[in-house]
Amino acid sequence: KAGVTQTPRYLIKTRGQQVTLSCSPISGHRSVSWYQQTPGQGLQFLFEYFSETQRNKGNFPGRFSGRQFSNSRSEMNVSTLELGDSALYLCASSLGTGGYEKLFFGSGTQLSVL
Amino acid sequence: AQSVSQHNHHVILSEAASLELGCNYSYGGTVNLFWYVQYPGQHLQLLLKYFSGDPLVKGIKGFEAEFIKSKFSFNLRKPSVQWSDTAEYFCASNTGTASKLTFGTGTRLQVTL
């Protein structure tokens, strides 16, 4: 059974640009969450999608957005990139959205903003 | 708002030593607790989780954790660590109604031969 797949693995952008990251969940999983991991702030929740609807959102500016498609694949977009957006972006999938759900994480997309 | 604290940032142990990593959470209501591990070059994976019932939970690879409600703690333990346990360990919680996790800052464990 394939795991959570994130593409691309690495990305280098410059300030002011925008970027789109992609996540393919485990087959059958309908929930996709995104997290930002940085050395200073650790892992922080960005948002969660279930059946194409955003269920939860973290404390990030509106430059961070996401969406989920009917096949449960998800994308997140960051517009007007800032240096501080450099981070590892992790996607996690689960069957549902309950608090008991086990999250399965991908390997992440390492974004560097120059 | 929830928060999770991990007080040990970097722990170095010799093989066969016992391990205890501290984790404290702040949320006063129903809470689910998790330990995730990130081995070098690998993705985050679940070690163990607590929802309800027996406060002593056992996970994979011989790890266990004890939920102590009065202390708001969920410490991770292993009686005898192996070199292959070298990894970063994250404690996390959610409020029980959503899978959204609040993570601690992580503890890097280095096991020497």
Side-chain angles (χ1 to χ4, degrees):
Chain A
K1 193 173 185 181
V4 177
T5 305
Q6 292 188 246
T7 56
R9 186 71 181 90
Y10 300 95
L11 209 47
I12 299 175
K13 292 287 187 179
T14 56
R15 279 183 301 173
Q17 287 187 309
Q18 76 162 17
V19 67
T20 299
L21 312 182
S22 179
C23 172
S24 293
I26 291 172
S27 177
H29 286 193
R30 297 171 63 193
S31 175
V32 173
S33 303
W34 289 89
Y35 289 81
Q36 182 195 65
Q37 186 176 20
T38 60
Q41 299 296 318
L43 280 149
Q44 293 185 289
F45 172 78
L46 279 155
F47 26 65
E48 177 188 22
Y49 288 86
F50 180 79
S51 293
E52 302 179 65
T53 301
Q54 187 179 90
R55 290 301 183 98
N56 280 294
K57 190 176 189 308
N59 295 323
F60 280 82
R63 300 184 298 107
F64 292 81
S65 63
R67 59 177 175 169
Q68 187 180 33
F69 302 96
S70 59
N71 62 358
S72 294
R73 192 177 70 84
S74 177
E75 289 181 346
M76 70 163 277
N77 184 277
V78 188
S79 63
T80 320
L81 283 165
E82 300 177 0
L83 295 178
D85 297 333
S86 294
L88 180 67
Y89 290 89
L90 295 172
C91 168
S93 76
S94 59
L95 285 168
T97 61
Y100 49 83
E101 292 289 342
K102 175 182 176 180
L103 300 187
F104 293 81
F105 284 85
S107 298
T109 293
Q110 183 69 54
L111 172 65
S112 298
V113 183
L114 307 178
Chain B
Q2 288 187 84
S3 68
V4 176
S5 300
Q6 292 181 246
H7 306 294
N8 315 103
H9 298 296
H10 190 191
V11 173
I12 303 173
L13 294 173
S14 300
E15 258 201 338
S18 65
L19 169 72
E20 180 159 4
L21 301 182
C23 172
N24 289 92
Y25 64 94
S26 68
Y27 190 66
T30 300
V31 66
N32 296 325
L33 295 159
F34 306 79
W35 277 96
Y36 278 83
V37 61
Q38 191 169 32
Y39 297 102
Q42 295 188 29
H43 55 269
L44 268 172
Q45 54 188 283
L46 182 68
L47 261 184
L48 48 79
K49 58 187 178 183
Y50 172 79
F51 297 144
S52 63
D54 188 345
L56 184 63
V57 292
K58 296 189 184 298
I60 61 172
K61 304 188 180 187
F63 286 91
E64 65 178 31
E66 185 175 12
F67 170 60
I68 303 180
K69 190 174 181 179
S70 61
K71 294 184 178 181
F72 293 86
S73 71
F74 189 57
N75 292 354
L76 181 71
R77 299 194 294 247
K78 186 172 184 179
S80 175
V81 294
Q82 300 174 309
W83 179 79
S84 58
D85 293 326
T86 294
E88 189 149 18
Y89 293 80
F90 294 91
C91 183
S93 72
N94 65 32
T95 61
T97 58
S99 61
K100 164 190 169 181
L101 290 174
T102 297
F103 281 91
T105 51
T107 297
R108 186 187 302 177
L109 171 64
Q110 185 178 345
V111 180
T112 60
L113 295 170

